[in-house]
Amino acid sequence: MIEEKGILFVLSGPSGVGKGTVRKELFAHDTDLRYSISMTTRDIRPGETNGVDYFYKTNEEFEALIEQNQLLEYAKYVNNYYGTPRKYVEETLAAGHDVFLEIEVQGALQVKENFPEGVFIFLFPPSLEELKNRIVSRGTESQDLVLNRLKEARKEIEMMDAYDYVVVNDRVEHAVAKVQSIIQSEHCKRERIERQYKQLLEDDRK
Ligand code: 5GP
């Protein structure tokens, strides 16, 4: 029996880049990935279900979870707490399933500290790609506007530092296809396959 832990995939990126849309589209396809449902203190929105979209908590409940070290990471975003339940992630990985997190950047950096072996995917805004094209083609925009955009772009590019992959979210289906390829490639990594076979040979000797 080959026992291999699952892989932790983390999708993150600047606010408004479309992480949620890409994640939902990814899970709309047939997938073996397990989505880790986050905890949040924000209000439930129409169409959302407790235990499906999020586990909705009060501030007190959330702070108790922090105290008890039950969160793998957490962050405050627009005055609400968001966090990833530690137990679900650890148990699911240990059972050999891949886990997928879709979280904002502060949280992703915390996960990176705890799980450096995770695979970190940065979803990149197409506006920066457009910016690059405009700079290259020396567009007609005013100097001020370009300088402003460059300043914003610099901040977002700095966030990229901790990630393994960058996916431009130009069209959702393209971004999803790229994320699927990343997942497939990670499963084909030599180290991983080698480890599995070595273990198989070890087990066979027993
Ligand atoms: P929303 O309120 O629109 O559902 O989510 C707001 C932001 O919180 C999104 O950027 C989403 O990726 C992020 N988010 C969702 N769950 C978590 C989580 O468990 N931890 C962190 N750090 N961010 C999360």
Side-chain angles (χ1 to χ4, degrees), residues 11-16 19-20 23 35-40 42 45 48 54 73-78 82-85 102-108 110:
L11 180 71
S12 191
S15 126
K19 300 185 284 293
R23 186 255 302 170
Y35 177 58
S36 162
I37 302 165
S38 297
M39 316 263 186
T40 185
R42 85 146 159 73
R45 292 181 189 143
E48 291 184 340
Y54 284 103
E73 61 75 32
Y74 70 92
K76 235 180 181 172
Y77 177 83
V78 198
Y82 292 82
T84 304
E102 178 248 300
I103 61 180
E104 52 70 66
V105 285
Q106 303 165 61
Q110 292 171 47

Side-chain angles (χ1 to χ4, degrees), residues 154-172:
R154 216 161 264 138
K155 274 197 242 157
E156 301 198 335
I157 292 159
E158 276 167 14
M159 286 189 216
M160 230 194 246
D161 230 35
Y163 294 79
D164 303 299
Y165 294 95
V166 177
V167 168
V168 176
N169 190 16
D170 48 359
R171 283 179 57 182
V172 181

